[in-house]
Amino acid sequence: MSSVAVLTQESFNEHRSGLLPEQKAAVAGTGAPGEEEEALPTYKDAFPPLPEKAASPEGTQETANAWTSKLRPLKASVITQVFHVPLEERKYKDINQFGEGDQAKVCVDIMHKTGAHLELSLAKDQGLSIMVSGKLDAVMKARKEIVSRLQTQASATVAIPKEHHRFVIGKNGEKLQELELKTATKIQIPRPDDLSNQIKISGTKEGLEKAKHEILLISAEQDKRAVERVNIDKVFHPFITGAYNKLVGEMMQETGARINVPPPSVNKTEIVITGEKEQVALAVAMIKKVSEEKKKNATTIAVEVKKSQHKYVIGPKGNTLQEILDKTGVSVEIPPSDSSSETVILRGEPDRLGQALTEVYAKANSYNVSSVSAPSWLHRFIIGKKGQNLAKITQQMPKVHIEFTEGEDRITLEGPTKDVQMVQSQIEAIVTDLVSRMDYTEISVDPKFHRHLIGKGGVNINRIKELHKVTVRIPPDNEKSNLIRIEGDPQGVQEAKKELLELASRMENERTKDLIIEQRFHRAIIGQKGEKIKEVRDKFPEVIINFPDPAQKSDIVQLRGPRTEVEKCAKFMQKIVAEMVENSFSVSVPIFKQFHRNIIGKGGSNIKKIREETNTKIDLPAENSNSEMIVITGKKANCEVARNRILAIQKELANISEIEVSIPSKLHNSLIGSKGRFVRSIMEECGGVHIHFPTEGSGIDKVTIRGPVEEVEKAKQQLLALAEEKQIKSHTAELRAKPEYHKFLIGKGGGNIRKVRDSTGARIIFPTADDKDQELITVIGTEEAVQEAQKELEELIKSLDNVVEDNMSVDPKHHRYFVARRGQVLRDLADEYGGVMVSFPRTGSQSEKVTLKGAKECVEAAKKRMLEIVDDLDAQVTIECVIAQKFHRSIMGPKGSRIQQITRDHNVQIKFPEREDPQAPPAEAPIQENGEANGEVKEPVDPNAPKKCDVIVISGRKERCEGAVEALKVLHKDIIRELGSISQNRCFCLLSFIATSLDRKEVEFMHRVILIRCFCFFFPPNNLFNVMFMFPAKDQITITGYEHKAIAAKEAIQHIVDELEEMISEDITLDSRVHARIIGARGKGIRKIMDEFKVDLRFPQSGAADPNLVTVTGRPELVDEAIDHLLNLEEEYMADVVENEAKMAYMRPPGGSAASMDEQRGPSKGFVVREAPWTTGNEKAPDMSSSEDFPSFGAPVATKTSPWGPKRF
């Protein structure tokens, strides 16, 4: 009878993977119950016993075979290595920033780049130990990064034959990459076309030696000369090389062979000698002779030296060991840095060991470690501002290392014994002095009052610091601490404590009141540069007035202070607001755009006079705006006076007529149309007259029409006709067409649409660029007229929708003209002819076939236009026009406006020559003999021929080119007539401002702002001064023009400069983690802030010394508002950042639990074996739910006897 044991499948998953194929089949097989039982493996098969000592050789062999055939050795995929960087080789030696700063950032970057895990520790000798864990390739890559980025780099060169370089590189550079990883160096091999045989190596000293050794080995192996390898014990290598490699150098010089001794850091005993056979044999004999002598005569002595003193015995880059070897001929063997041994072995001649031992102890004891007791709060005073106090000590004693440990009341000193004693006495004296005259205290203040104690821009806390000569540390908001620390003179500390507590007590008893003031009045209440609000604050000094952030669109102004003062301030501000409401009446006056400059007057004299005399605010639209409305703001009566004066100026300048037409008020809305479409179409058709309807609901029937006399009369007739149609039998219809068809429907100069209007009598209105629905076309008129017009338009649209494809031939030489400038000509054709598509053959093809696709009428019209263009190109000629180069700039006009006008008027192309450099030396004429140069006879140069720099080239049809030449000559004469004689009538004025208090960036910023502002009145059509100016690289602006105009322009620019010099720049600290959110997508957020507050913001670039530093530039009051807004944004965004970081800290990788996996797999049948040990006796099968039989990792379990024998751990 066989017994069966059932164990869980999960417990033996790993074992099953090692079963033999027949055993796997037995476990997985199915059949009758008897067959299944026989197919089950026995316990011995499933769990082979370990070999016993008394077992027979055959049995042992069988057991071993059973185990070795089923188990495969496993290698750890994760390795750990420790690298040590001595203090003298550390790249970042700022001890106060350990765990932060550049060093920590570099380590984090290495972890991200390589995938290895790094742990840093700082030894007492300030050496850096880095433990690197990860896969082998990741660890090697991390090691290379650590050496190159955390360790100071040196460089060396090694010369090997040029033909051996390729063996160093290896196939596809694999050997070179492997060598760089192995030695953690950067190896630069000269290019094949470079004759140099020098290979440059950069890295640490240890890496340089290793790389040099490996390269020389590669070269030696490839060298055709003799190569001899001699194994000499590592301990005798120093005697072979000699101090500073003198002995091995002498051997190489004497024998002519190359001797490569592995450096101390490489654990190899093999010395490689290469060269001629005789030379190699001689060198080998000499090396063996030295080795045998030292083996015979040298003895050793072992001494104990503290591990911390080993570095002083080694010296910088091993120089001390070389020095001892040079003086005494004794080699000093130091245990590795990762070894805990403190035993130093001296090897050499017996009579020299005593002297060497003395040297070792002298070097080991030449440095000392001491400590000074000093309260931790005094450390920063001992260090001084920017380390000034400490710098004085370290300059005198540069070999002494001073370490301040945060939170500890001691200072550690390390260095030469005498120097340490002197520094210790100096620091003790400083500590005694500071303790005698300084004190500190801590007070508790609710964190909500901390910002008020600091004051705006730190004004309150800075006053207390300067008055009492103390330092006050107020914890940041994110610490949520209520302790404020005061340090300084004992008396000053007590006085500052008293004042801070009084301020806090006063804040607890103050009152806060909210005033509702419309946001549009906030800026007026604050005033220019904050002058008006400053007056209010001076009148109520105990009241704090806070305006909301402009971005919040809030009307609540908060007052805080003593109860009575707050009430008085509230009444005063309400009075100011009442006056502003009275003065905020606004009226819009439509004035033709061409008369705006006349209303402004020369230098703004007219508009300034109207503003002053009427006491109103007058705003004109921007130069590039299409609006003609001038907005007047102030008291109602004053606004009416200003309006009448502005209208009077317009009437004087032009034949402007104003009439009133009586139209029933009930028809006004229908005449205006949806969003003013109907009335706007009349105004555009009648030369831009202004039609003003009375306010809706007023009941007034009078409609005002203003403009040129003829156009006013025309508009009146159309308005009355439209009103009559509306009143009698007005009818409206709407139809839709693609926007690209509109231009074709309207026709050139409105010819097509005018035909439809004339034939039907209906009015057709197309959408403007401002309308949302760009496809809607409105037809108004009598019912019959509308139906006819609608029918004609629908037919036109239907024909446009009928897409056809046509071909035409165009000579390939003209193709470039059509596709040049990114296809500008083709885009113009598509816009003008209903979106017709024109396809040219590919560049380089000689095909003449051009394809046109679109509506039939559009294709025909475009084809006709293209043929006209081709005719023009075939008839194109080139004519030269000679005008002195000094007039070219004036002929071009501001931004090329004059030359662009001539180009459009005559449909030609005009090209100006390159400017001649007046400073360029004249070209030397070639030396000629007998009138010949280079064997050729040169024709004499005509002295009357025009200079190349004076020739303007005009291209186009002959008659058009001739017209353009005449226009250029007329323009040239006008310019000469206007300027007159340059030497007599022209004046050059120089405006200079010396920005001594500004840095280069601020001067550039000032130039940029001046240049932008100058556009508003120095360029047409607002060029009030008719001058030209130039911004050079330095701080001087040149203005050219008539004297009185140049002086006026100089005064205008000086006014801008005065405004800019009032600007300030302030640096604030914003957490770099919120910079991206403040800047916004594509800079949208930062542009909004800069436009809103009229300031300039500069964020630090990547890699900046202080990544949190943000500079705000602008007027003082605007800078303060912008800073408050930025700090509020930082506080808001930081809450999200902290919350997200907290979430990320607790996130776990996704994956199902063991229970869910069991549920998915279903109930397990277990792993079944026969003849288990617990079935042969009285023992029962192990309980899988028992923690004793199947303990979990880390859980303590009581020992228990078991038939399995004692438990082994």
Side-chain angles (χ1 to χ4, degrees), residues 896-960:
S897 57
R898 291 173 177 169
I899 207 67
Q900 288 172 9
Q901 186 63 43
I902 294 174
T903 301
R904 285 194 297 269
D905 291 345
H906 298 277
N907 192 18
V908 294
Q909 294 181 356
I910 301 175
K911 183 178 180 182
F912 281 80
E914 295 289 336
R915 293 182 62 83
E916 185 180 37
D917 187 358
Q919 296 180 354
E924 295 184 3
I927 299 173
Q928 299 181 0
E929 295 182 8
N930 302 326
E932 295 184 357
N934 298 328
E936 295 181 3
V937 178
K938 299 285 185 178
E939 294 183 5
V941 179
D942 185 2
N944 298 323
K947 295 182 180 179
K948 287 185 179 180
C949 60
D950 295 338
V951 177
I952 301 172
V953 179
I954 305 164
S955 302
R957 280 186 175 270
K958 185 177 181 181
E959 60 275 12
R960 293 173 183 169

Side-chain angles (χ1 to χ4, degrees), residues 806 808 810 818-819 823 825-830 833 835-841 849-854 858-859 862-863 866:
D806 198 0
M808 63 179 294
V810 176
F818 288 95
V819 299
V825 175
L826 299 181
R827 286 200 298 272
D828 294 342
L829 287 171
Y833 299 104
V836 65
M837 294 174 61
V838 184
S839 300
F840 279 81
K849 183 179 178 182
V850 178
T851 305
L852 295 87
K853 189 175 182 180
C858 295
V859 167
K863 190 174 179 181
M866 288 180 67

Side-chain angles (χ1 to χ4, degrees), residues 509-524:
N509 298 325
E510 68 183 10
R511 186 199 166 186
T512 301
K513 183 173 183 178
D514 292 338
L515 285 181
I516 307 299
I517 300 174
E518 289 183 59
Q519 193 184 35
R520 62 193 178 103
F521 295 128
H522 290 185
R523 192 170 290 278

Side-chain angles (χ1 to χ4, degrees), residues 864-920:
K864 183 179 178 182
R865 175 60 186 146
M866 288 180 67
L867 290 173
E868 291 176 1
I869 293 172
V870 170
D871 289 342
D872 289 345
L873 292 174
D874 287 334
Q876 184 170 311
V877 298
T878 300
I879 296 179
E880 295 181 350
C881 178
V882 180
I883 296 175
Q885 188 190 43
K886 62 184 177 181
F887 296 111
H888 288 187
R889 192 170 181 179
S890 301
I891 288 173
M892 289 181 188
K895 293 186 178 181
S897 57
R898 291 173 177 169
I899 207 67
Q900 288 172 9
Q901 186 63 43
I902 294 174
T903 301
R904 285 194 297 269
D905 291 345
H906 298 277
N907 192 18
V908 294
Q909 294 181 356
I910 301 175
K911 183 178 180 182
F912 281 80
E914 295 289 336
R915 293 182 62 83
E916 185 180 37
D917 187 358
Q919 296 180 354

Side-chain angles (χ1 to χ4, degrees), residues 1145-1165:
Y1146 291 99
M1147 284 180 66
R1148 296 183 182 274
S1153 64
S1156 63
M1157 296 288 287
D1158 290 343
E1159 289 174 5
Q1160 292 173 7
R1161 283 196 297 263
S1164 174
K1165 294 180 179 180

